[in-house]
């Protein structure tokens, strides 16, 4: 059943603004989750802090928010060509996926649901079937500019909700004259809400809201071995993604080819509270270098949290279930904040494409 989209979009924006206000009043380290642990008045000095669970948390970040969030996320295809960097809006996403597109170029898929953002998002690029797979796993509305023939065929056949700058939603994007096409196409949350309203898309998630288990209590420490640095090469050694652990912020800071990867909106370096590097089967389809990526079978992954690393397994139970991480039969919990998923080819896989220590 469709809701009144204007009211839903308004609630989403209001939730984001309230969340922003809440975050501004929190601890001095702006990227940390809300303080969740206090000592009980009657506890002995040696007693462990008792975590306080917020009444409401964002499904994809685990951060405290003012009310329940059941809105469908927006999944935006972000250009990651060198001429497209620095991109705009990545620091305000709930989740980031990075995966190969053609050749050695990766694309970043940014999922927006609960974080406040008034600035630009982009540059926006085209869609592929495995990007659609990730969007469906989050019940997300897809935002893109063009697509592969197979991508367009799937969007049409399955009648999926999407805003495409080329075919159905050009007025909800703009070109920045300071950059050359195709690395200069942008949008923002306000325009996306207006476009979705005009299209009449359903804006609330159907069935169970996609969410992850989160670790509550700032003193909780992850399992694993020490790992304060990690380097990932997706395909060619000329493109390297790195993370360096900042113990003060308790986050992994992101670099590309040893240079800080920043958000053009505010100049801040991108950072993750959880970094997941997983391997999946990749297959080249044509002379243009288009690929298929199998995101259904599961496989090996490494989870990096709070300066530690451990091996886990990634799994999906169905096409509408997101990538989940498991220690044996138990789903691995994430720290509240932003999570980055880096998806690399299974051949040669983690053994050769990931170095950490």
């Amino acid at each position: 059943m469709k809701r009144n989209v204007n009211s839903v979009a308004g609630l989403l924006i209001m939730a984001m603004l309230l969340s922003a206000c809440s975050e501004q009043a929190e601890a001095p380290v702006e990227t940390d989750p809300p303080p969740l642990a206090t000592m009980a008045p009657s506890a002995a000095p040696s007693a462990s802090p008792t975590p306080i669970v917020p009444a409401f948390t964002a499904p994809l970040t685990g951060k405290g928010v003012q009310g329940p969030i059941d809105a469908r996320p927006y999944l935006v295809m972000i250009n990651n060509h060198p001429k497209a960097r620095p991109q705009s809006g990545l620091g305000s996403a709930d989740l980031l996926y990075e995966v190969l597109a053609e050749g050695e170029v990766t694309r970043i898929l940014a999922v927006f649901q609960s974080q406040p953002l008034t600035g630009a998002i982009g540059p926006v690029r085209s869609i592929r079937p495995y990007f659609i797979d990730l969007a469906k796993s989050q019940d997300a509305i897809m935002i893109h500019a063009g697509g592969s023939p197979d991508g367009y065929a799937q969007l049409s056949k399955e009648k999926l909700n999407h805003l495409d700058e080329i075919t159905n939603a050009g007025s909800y994007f703009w070109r920045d004259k300071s950059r050359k096409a195709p690395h200069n196409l942008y949008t923002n949350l306000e325009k996306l809400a207006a476009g979705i309203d005009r299209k009449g898309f359903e804006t609330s998630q159907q069935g169970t809201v996609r969410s992850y288990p989160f670790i509550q209590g700032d003193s909780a420490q992850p399992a694993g071995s020490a790992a304060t640095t990690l380097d990932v090469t997706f395909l060619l050694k000329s493109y390297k993604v790195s993370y360096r652990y900042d113990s003060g912020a308790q986050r992994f800071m992101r670099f590309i080819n040893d240079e800080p990867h920043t958000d053009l909106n505010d100049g801040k370096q991108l950072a993750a509270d959880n970094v997941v590097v997983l391997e999946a089967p990749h297959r080249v389809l044509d002379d243009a270098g288009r690929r298929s990526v199998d995101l259904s079978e599961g496989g090996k992954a490494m989870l990096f949290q709070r300066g530690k690393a451990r091996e886990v397994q990634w799994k999906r139970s169905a096409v509408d279930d997101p990538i989940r991480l498991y220690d044996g039969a138990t789903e691995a919990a994430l720290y509240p904040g932003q999570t980055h998923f880096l998806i690399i080819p299974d051949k040669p896989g983690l053994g050769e494409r990931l170095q950490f220590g």
Side-chain angles (χ1 to χ4, degrees):
M1 177 178 180
K2 293 186 178 180
R3 295 186 177 185
N4 183 292
V5 184
N6 279 319
S7 61
V8 174
L11 287 172
L12 175 60
I13 294 172
M14 182 178 293
M16 291 178 175
L17 293 174
L18 288 171
S19 175
C21 293
S22 174
E23 290 177 358
Q24 290 173 0
E26 290 164 3
V29 181
E30 63 179 341
T31 53
D32 279 354
L36 302 176
T38 59
M39 291 294 293
S42 59
S46 59
S48 300
T50 302
I52 298 175
V53 180
F56 300 100
T57 58
L60 303 182
T61 69
K63 286 191 171 184
V65 292
Q66 295 297 311
I69 293 177
D70 66 353
R72 295 177 68 190
Y74 305 153
L75 188 142
V76 187
M77 317 299 151
I78 302 293
N79 189 345
N80 195 34
H81 190 279
K83 293 181 180 179
R85 302 184 208 125
Q87 299 95 335
S88 298
L90 295 181
S92 299
D94 289 43
L95 298 174
L96 297 180
Y97 297 98
E98 184 172 11
V99 60
L100 285 163
E102 282 76 57
E104 76 280 7
V105 176
T106 67
R107 195 141 298 163
I108 297 175
L109 280 57
V111 182
F112 297 89
Q113 186 185 45
S114 69
Q115 302 298 305
L117 173 62
T118 58
I121 299 172
V124 181
R125 283 304 305 265
S126 56
I127 203 165
R128 302 288 180 270
Y130 50 99
F131 301 166
I132 295 173
D133 192 6
L134 289 169
K136 289 170 63 177
S137 77
Q138 297 288 355
D139 192 25
I141 298 171
M142 289 160 274
I143 315 300
H144 63 107
S148 66
D150 288 346
Y152 270 131
Q154 184 175 355
L155 291 172
S156 177
K157 180 179 179 180
E158 299 183 23
K159 296 180 170 55
L160 299 172
N161 292 165
H162 67 109
L163 295 182
D164 177 16
E165 186 265 344
I166 292 178
T167 64
N168 74 352
S171 61
Y172 304 106
F173 299 79
W174 74 87
R175 295 277 177 184
D176 185 334
K177 295 181 180 180
S178 68
R179 288 182 170 181
K180 292 183 178 180
H183 312 298
N184 65 345
L185 183 68
Y186 294 86
T187 187
N188 60 31
L189 292 181
E190 183 178 7
K191 284 185 175 292
L192 295 180
I196 289 163
D197 185 6
R198 181 67 178 270
K199 296 292 182 184
F201 296 157
E202 176 61 66
T203 56
S204 60
Q205 291 197 27
Q206 303 301 297
T208 303
V209 174
R210 279 67 166 172
S211 63
Y212 297 98
F214 287 95
I215 298 168
Q216 301 296 341
D218 194 58
S219 63
Q221 295 300 310
S225 57
T228 57
T229 66
L230 64 134
D231 300 318
V232 179
T233 51
F234 282 80
L235 191 65
L236 300 181
K237 293 183 179 180
S238 59
Y239 176 73
K240 180 180 70 174
V241 176
S242 303
Y243 290 84
R244 302 290 180 261
Y245 183 61
D246 183 328
S247 59
Q250 295 186 314
R251 307 185 83 196
F252 282 94
M253 312 305 292
R254 178 178 164 98
F255 297 78
I256 291 182
N257 293 335
D258 298 321
E259 295 292 331
H261 190 181
T262 59
D263 189 320
L264 186 60
N265 284 344
D266 57 16
K268 293 181 180 179
Q269 187 173 2
L270 301 181
D273 299 274
N274 312 278
V275 179
V276 182
V277 185
L278 64 92
E279 59 181 40
H282 287 53
R283 182 166 60 91
V284 177
L285 299 175
D286 55 30
D287 293 340
R290 297 187 182 95
R291 290 181 166 82
S292 68
V293 179
D294 187 346
L295 296 173
S296 63
E297 293 301 314
K300 296 179 181 179
M302 291 296 299
L303 173 60
F304 296 85
Q305 300 171 305
R306 300 286 176 94
K308 291 188 177 181
R310 71 183 189 273
E311 185 174 344
V312 294
Q313 293 288 313
W314 71 270
K315 300 178 182 179
R316 289 176 65 198
S317 61
V319 69
D320 59 352
D321 192 44
I323 291 170
R324 298 184 181 279
L325 308 173
Y326 288 87
D327 279 323
T330 303
E331 185 173 356
L334 304 176
Y335 280 90
Q338 193 181 79
T339 300
H340 295 184
F341 290 90
L342 283 65
I343 302 170
I344 66 171
D346 63 339
K347 296 178 181 179
L350 294 170
E352 292 189 25
R353 296 302 184 186
L354 170 66
Q355 291 79 41
F356 63 91

